[in-house]
Amino acid sequence: MGSASEFCEQTSEMPNKKRPIGIRFLEYIWGSPFTLRTYQAIVLILTFFAYASYHATRKTTSIVKSALDPETTQLGFTHWPRLYFLRTAEEAVQKPGVKNGWAPFDSPDGTAMLGQIDVAFLSVYSIGMFFAGHLGDRFDLRILLTLGMIGTGVFTSLFGAGYWLNIHSFYYFLVVQMLAGLFQSTGWPSVVAVVGNWFGKKKRGLIMGIWNAHTSIGNITGSLVASVLLKYGWGYSFVVPGFIIAFFGLMVLLFLPVSPEKVAIESEDDSLLKSPNKNEISQPLLEGQLDEKERPVGFIEAWRIPGVAPFALCLFFSKLVAYTFLYWLPFYISHTAIDGKYLSDSTAGTLSTLFDVGGVVGGVLAGHISDRLDARALTAASFMYCAIPALFFYRIYGSISLCWNIALMFITGMFVNGPYALITTAVSADLGTHSSLNGNSRALATVTAIIDGTGSVGAAIGPLLTGYISAKSWSAVFTMLMAAALVAGLLLTKLVVAEVTVKIESARGQPRRTSVPDLLV
């Protein structure tokens, strides 16, 4: 093994290749440059834990919500001031064993305040997503992701610090959560762009379906950590996840290779482009392709890519359903009698993780099925349609017993999160490298931001509407969710018809005309 001076000399041999210092050090210890597969493994592992930590910090709010505002009714949750007159004597009965919350959230307006914080967070998150995607295609994704993760950790911890600093100002928590949402918006466009840079389209749905388990793993981790720490004080439920994401942010800074070009290694797509007749291609043509690759795609231009708009609008309604569960499921479970009994806040938070376990299975299934069928839209629409009866049965039969609740929650999570995972990963990566871009690979972050940013608007509206609608009935909330799932599926109808048409022509032995999105131009 050489000296430190030899390491410095060796790592400075490639000034144009901005390899992370951690990668350079590992390659020096290893004794030779890493292979493509090794780099791909590093990228998958780092981005997996990076975005899992994002969701872990995001999930804590739903777990702590019942501790901040425990004074709720059995079904109505009628804390909204303008609907206060709707309460009846029966609805005003509180859960037995209720304890005091945290001012100002323990007031009659507490649920409204928590709902406003959720909406403020998701609104800033969705708006920031569009700008983050624009920046992601123009600046170093590793630096952007690192700043986002550390910033998220800081402001998540500041929210929890209100516990020890005895802060009871609603505006303090509102502003801190909005700033956390701004930094969180850097995460998804960055990680999808990085993974898309390293993996070609072959088996992309399955790989990204498995990789997308980070969303559910992050939710589960956040739920468990917050639930366990809740008994020591709700502040710990925010501070610990905040430190976790900041730690992984430093790991990203030290070790994440953004693209094969940055580490001077040939990607899978580059090898496929090579042919025995490659010397016949003129040099000016090659140079022109490189120049085109270096030009980032504009925001409006990205919207015009065939398939972006319908998938973005589909995700709007899909995330409306998914994020309503993300923010309200523990609250719903803890205030709904299951087999005649109410569960504690921590137990309800732990039980809610089964929805995300189902989401992991759903994401992998959706990715695998879409790869086998080569039909992203058909797979996503089918899952959304199946989510409708799943939501209905969970609402009607979930309170019969704990076993029924667990089984139906798992199935609901599978169908709700399956298309959500597929659209935000494989579909975004496919459209970000669409043939209409003429080989331009610098649209991944922008396209991902457009699709997920539009979806995040729905993610903000869902929890907000839930707060109002639940003042009358949770059955009305589930009706809203079923309607949203139906609309999400219908929005993909044109794409589904195009995919089915291609399949029928292929089965009849007719030559395949083009890709499905191209049929819609």
Side-chain angles (χ1 to χ4, degrees):
M1 184 180 296
S3 62
S5 61
E6 291 175 347
F7 167 68
C8 294
E9 291 176 2
Q10 179 178 330
T11 55
S12 63
E13 291 177 359
M14 299 177 63
N16 295 326
K17 304 303 178 183
K18 300 177 181 179
R19 294 178 298 165
I21 189 171
I23 291 293
R24 287 181 278 171
F25 179 74
L26 290 177
E27 288 182 332
Y28 175 73
I29 297 297
W30 187 256
S32 62
F34 289 148
T35 64
L36 174 63
R37 297 304 181 197
T38 303
Y39 276 115
Q40 288 177 328
I42 292 173
V43 167
L44 286 177
I45 292 171
L46 276 178
T47 53
F48 183 95
F49 284 105
Y51 206 71
S53 63
Y54 270 107
H55 262 265
T57 59
R58 198 176 304 173
K59 182 65 175 178
T60 55
T61 305
S62 66
I63 302 300
V64 177
K65 190 175 290 182
S66 294
L68 297 176
D69 176 30
E71 303 293 329
T72 56
T73 61
Q74 289 187 12
L75 288 176
F77 308 128
T78 51
H79 292 295
W80 301 83
R82 69 183 186 87
L83 298 176
Y84 188 82
F85 67 94
L86 295 174
R87 294 203 300 182
T88 64
E90 181 180 357
E91 289 175 334
V93 178
Q94 298 175 359
K95 281 176 52 182
V98 151
K99 57 182 180 297
N100 293 328
W102 185 268
F105 304 112
D106 59 349
S107 66
D109 300 336
T111 304
M113 293 179 181
L114 290 171
Q116 289 165 13
I117 286 178
D118 289 345
V119 172
F121 170 87
L122 290 169
S123 299
V124 173
Y125 174 80
S126 59
I127 294 172
M129 183 84 69
F130 296 109
F131 293 98
H134 185 78
L135 293 174
D137 285 326
R138 287 157 177 79
F139 298 101
D140 192 328
L141 287 169
R142 180 168 57 92
I143 302 300
L144 181 65
L145 187 57
T146 299
L147 290 176
M149 295 178 72
I150 293 178
T152 299
V154 169
F155 287 103
T156 300
S157 299
L158 285 176
F159 194 104
Y163 174 77
W164 294 284
L165 298 177
N166 201 29
I167 296 175
H168 298 278
S169 170
F170 167 73
Y171 293 103
Y172 169 83
F173 295 108
L174 180 68
V175 172
V176 166
Q177 195 73 337
M178 290 173 67
L179 291 172
L182 180 63
F183 279 97
Q184 284 232 8
S185 66
T186 62
W188 192 241
S190 299
V191 295
V192 172
V194 171
V195 174
N197 287 338
W198 281 97
F199 292 90
K201 190 173 182 180
K202 184 179 180 182
K203 294 186 178 179
R204 179 180 277 168
L206 177 59
I207 292 173
M208 285 192 154
I210 297 172
W211 170 76
N212 192 68
H214 54 52
T215 299
S216 297
I217 296 298
N219 289 339
I220 292 170
T221 303
S223 298
L224 294 177
V225 170
S227 298
V228 169
L229 296 176
L230 198 57
K231 60 184 178 182
Y232 300 107
W234 63 262
Y236 290 101
S237 298
F238 285 94
V239 171
V240 172
F243 277 102
I244 291 174
I245 191 172
F247 169 78
F248 283 115
L250 292 176
M251 294 299 101
V252 165
L253 178 64
L254 293 175
F255 295 101
L256 182 65
V258 173
S259 66
E261 293 78 14
K262 293 289 186 181
V263 293
I265 193 170
E266 188 178 83
S267 67
E268 291 178 339
D269 289 339
D270 290 336
S271 62
L272 291 174
L273 289 173
K274 290 187 174 182
S275 66
N277 298 323
K278 64 181 178 179
N279 292 330
E280 298 177 6
I281 301 177
S282 62
Q283 186 67 22
L285 176 59
L286 291 175
E287 291 177 352
Q289 287 178 338
L290 289 174
D291 290 339
E292 178 68 22
K293 252 188 173 180
E294 292 301 317
R295 184 181 66 82
V297 172
F299 182 78
I300 302 300
E301 186 180 357
W303 262 109
R304 292 173 179 169
I305 297 173
V308 167
F311 273 115
L313 294 174
C314 173
L315 190 63
F316 175 94
F317 291 97
S318 177
K319 288 191 75 170
L320 185 153
V321 179
Y323 270 67
T324 297
F325 275 89
L326 176 69
Y327 280 96
W328 286 97
L329 183 57
F331 197 77
Y332 170 74
I333 293 174
S334 65
H335 296 87
T336 300
I338 300 176
D339 194 17
K341 300 177 182 178
Y342 289 98
L343 303 178
S344 66
D345 295 336
S346 59
T347 303
T350 303
L351 182 64
S352 69
T353 61
L354 293 170
F355 179 84
D356 296 296
V357 174
V360 173
V361 177
V364 174
L365 278 177
H368 178 64
I369 293 171
S370 69
D371 277 344
R372 293 293 299 271
L373 298 178
D374 192 19
R376 308 286 197 212
L378 178 60
T379 303
S382 298
F383 269 70
M384 291 310 307
Y385 292 139
C386 290
I388 297 173
L391 289 164
F392 176 80
F393 287 124
Y394 179 66
R395 170 58 184 165
I396 300 300
Y397 300 108
S399 59
I400 292 179
S401 68
L402 192 59
C403 291
W404 273 98
N405 192 285
I406 290 173
L408 293 172
M409 188 193 308
F410 179 90
I411 294 172
T412 303
M414 183 175 66
F415 287 121
V416 168
N417 284 341
Y420 164 33
L422 179 65
I423 295 172
T424 54
T425 54
V427 170
S428 297
D430 289 348
L431 296 175
T433 54
H434 190 261
S435 58
S436 65
L437 298 172
N438 298 320
N440 191 346
S441 65
R442 299 190 66 182
L444 272 171
T446 301
V447 169
T448 301
I450 286 174
I451 292 177
D452 201 48
T454 304
S456 296
V457 176
I461 293 175
L464 174 63
L465 292 178
T466 299
Y468 282 101
I469 297 174
S470 64
K472 295 181 179 180
S473 166
W474 269 99
S475 295
V477 172
F478 277 83
T479 300
M480 176 193 72
L481 298 180
M482 288 186 284
L486 175 62
V487 174
L490 292 176
L491 284 167
L492 297 179
T493 300
K494 193 173 182 179
L495 288 171
V496 170
V497 171
E499 287 180 346
V500 172
T501 300
V502 170
K503 296 298 178 186
I504 293 175
E505 291 178 353
S506 177
R508 291 175 178 175
Q510 298 179 12
R512 184 171 178 175
R513 293 180 291 177
T514 182
S515 63
V516 171
D518 289 336
L519 294 173
L520 305 176
V521 178

